[in-house]
Amino acid sequence: MYLGIDVGGTKTLVASLDMHGAVQEQFRFPTPQNYAEFLTELSEHVAKLSTKDFKACAIGIPALIDRQHGIGKAFPHLKWHNVPIHADVEHIAKCPVVVENDAKLAGLSEAMLVKHQRKVLYVTISTGIGTAYIVDRQIDPELANNEGGHMLLEHQGVYQRWEDFASGGAIFRKYDKPLSDIDDDRSLRAIARNIAIGLIDLIAVLNPDIVVLGGSVGTHYDKYGDFLDEYLLRYDNPMIQLPEIKAAERPEQAVIFGCYDLARQVYG
C-alpha cells in the first residue's frame, strides 16, 4: 500500500492506495495555517486509516521546495516558512517519503493518462495557477521549480502576475462568483483571453505536444474552450505550433494519483 497526502491551501486530502493505484480509503480536513496544528491533524487522520504498513508515501505541497533537504521553503497561500516537512511526515507515516510540489504531482498523474505524446504541459488553474512540465512521464528536473502562474504579463496597462488576473481566485474577485456559475459569453470570452495570454507564452517556450488544463477552472473547460482556441489562434505565428489542449481527466484527485505515481517511481 502507498500513502498519498495532498496539502492544499484550504484542505488536505489523505489517502491510501493499493499497489495498482486504486484509492482504498481517504479523509479530508481543513488545512491549518499553523504548521504544528497541521502535523497534529495529519497524524490523527493517518492513524484513522486501516492500513498501518506503507511501502512509501508521497506528499504534494503548494510550495517552493528544497528537495535535497526536504524543506518546504515558501507557501504562497499558507503561513508556513522553511518547514522540515520530509522529516516530519516520515515520522508520522513511518515509511520512506518523497516531497513534491502539488502541481508537479498533478501533472505527472495526468501525463500518465496521455497516449503518444512525450511532452506534457499541465496547467492547474484554481486559487492560483500552477504549472508542470512532464517529459516521458517524468517531472522535468530542470523545470521542477518553475512557477508559470508567477510570470509577469501586461494586463490593463500594468505588469501583473498571470495568476493575479487569470486564476480561479481572480475570476471570483472580479465576478463575485466562481466560473461554475458564469454562463454569459462576454465574461467567458474575457476569462479565456486572460488564460490565453499566459498560455501562449508557455507554449512558445516549452513547445509541448499537449496541454492539459486542471484545477477548478480546468474542470469547466467546456464553457470557455472554444473561446480559448479562438484567442490562441489570434496570437499564433508561424514559429509556434499550437498543441492539442484538453481538460484534465481527474482534476479533483490528480495530486493523490500523482503521489502514487511518484512514490512508485522513487521507491518501486
Side-chain angles (χ1 to χ4, degrees):
M1 297 284 282
Y2 294 89
L3 176 61
I5 304 170
D6 173 11
V7 180
T10 56
K11 63 176 174 53
T12 294
L13 173 62
V14 177
S16 61
L17 302 96
D18 66 19
M19 301 303 287
H20 303 289
V23 174
Q24 300 301 298
E25 290 182 285
Q26 58 182 340
F27 297 105
R28 285 182 173 85
F29 61 89
T31 305
Q33 285 290 326
N34 181 282
Y35 180 66
E37 291 178 9
F38 164 76
L39 293 177
T40 299
E41 288 277 351
L42 179 63
S43 181
E44 291 175 356
H45 283 82
V46 169
K48 292 179 183 178
L49 296 169
S50 300
T51 300
K52 307 300 179 186
D53 183 19
F54 294 102
K55 182 176 180 64
C57 167
I59 177 169
I61 58 175
L64 178 66
I65 302 169
D66 176 348
R67 292 172 178 79
Q68 181 179 357
H69 299 99
I71 294 173
K73 297 176 67 176
F75 295 75
H77 304 292
L78 289 169
K79 297 177 182 178
W80 303 355
H81 303 281
N82 297 319
V83 296
I85 196 160
H86 183 278
D88 289 337
V89 173
E90 198 166 61
H91 177 74
I92 291 170
K94 296 179 173 55
C95 67
V97 171
V98 58
V99 180
E100 186 52 81
N101 175 269
D102 56 351
K104 306 303 182 284
L105 289 172
L108 177 63
S109 168
E110 289 294 324
M112 292 293 187
L113 305 176
V114 171
K115 307 297 183 184
H116 311 303
Q117 287 102 341
R118 292 184 54 244
K119 298 176 294 181
V120 179
L121 170 61
Y122 177 81
V123 182
T124 177
I125 310 176
S126 294
T127 304
I129 295 179
T131 55
Y133 192 53
I134 313 299
V135 180
D136 293 329
R137 299 187 171 186
Q138 301 280 335
I139 298 170
D140 188 323
E142 298 300 321
L143 295 173
N145 285 325
N146 71 327
E147 288 290 345
H150 289 254
M151 294 187 299
L152 284 178
L153 302 169
E154 187 175 356
H155 178 68
Q156 297 181 339
V158 296
Y159 284 101
Q160 302 180 42
R161 294 185 306 175
W162 184 29
E163 69 174 27
D164 287 345
F165 63 88
S167 65
I171 291 169
F172 190 89
R173 289 191 296 273
K174 180 174 182 178
Y175 298 101
D176 200 27
K177 55 185 175 181
L179 176 59
S180 58
D181 294 337
I182 298 174
D183 295 303
D184 65 287
D185 284 358
R186 181 178 180 179
S187 298
L188 292 172
R189 280 183 178 277
I191 289 168
R193 176 186 178 278
N194 290 341
I195 294 172
I197 289 172
L199 198 56
I200 194 68
D201 286 355
L202 291 174
I203 291 170
V205 172
L206 297 175
N207 189 31
D209 298 320
I210 188 170
V211 176
V212 180
L213 298 181
S216 59
V217 175
T219 301
H220 299 283
Y221 174 73
D222 59 325
K223 283 192 166 192
Y224 60 87
D226 290 342
F227 298 136
L228 180 62
D229 290 342
E230 177 185 320
Y231 278 110
L232 289 174
L233 287 172
R234 288 190 193 182
Y235 303 144
D236 190 22
N237 70 66
M239 299 302 292
I240 301 175
Q241 183 174 348
L242 292 177
E244 175 188 353
I245 298 176
K246 67 185 288 288
E249 294 187 31
R250 301 182 296 198
E252 297 300 321
Q253 291 188 302
V255 176
I256 281 295
F257 288 116
C259 287
Y260 163 80
D261 293 324
L262 185 61
R264 283 202 65 182
Q265 287 181 358
V266 174
Y267 294 112

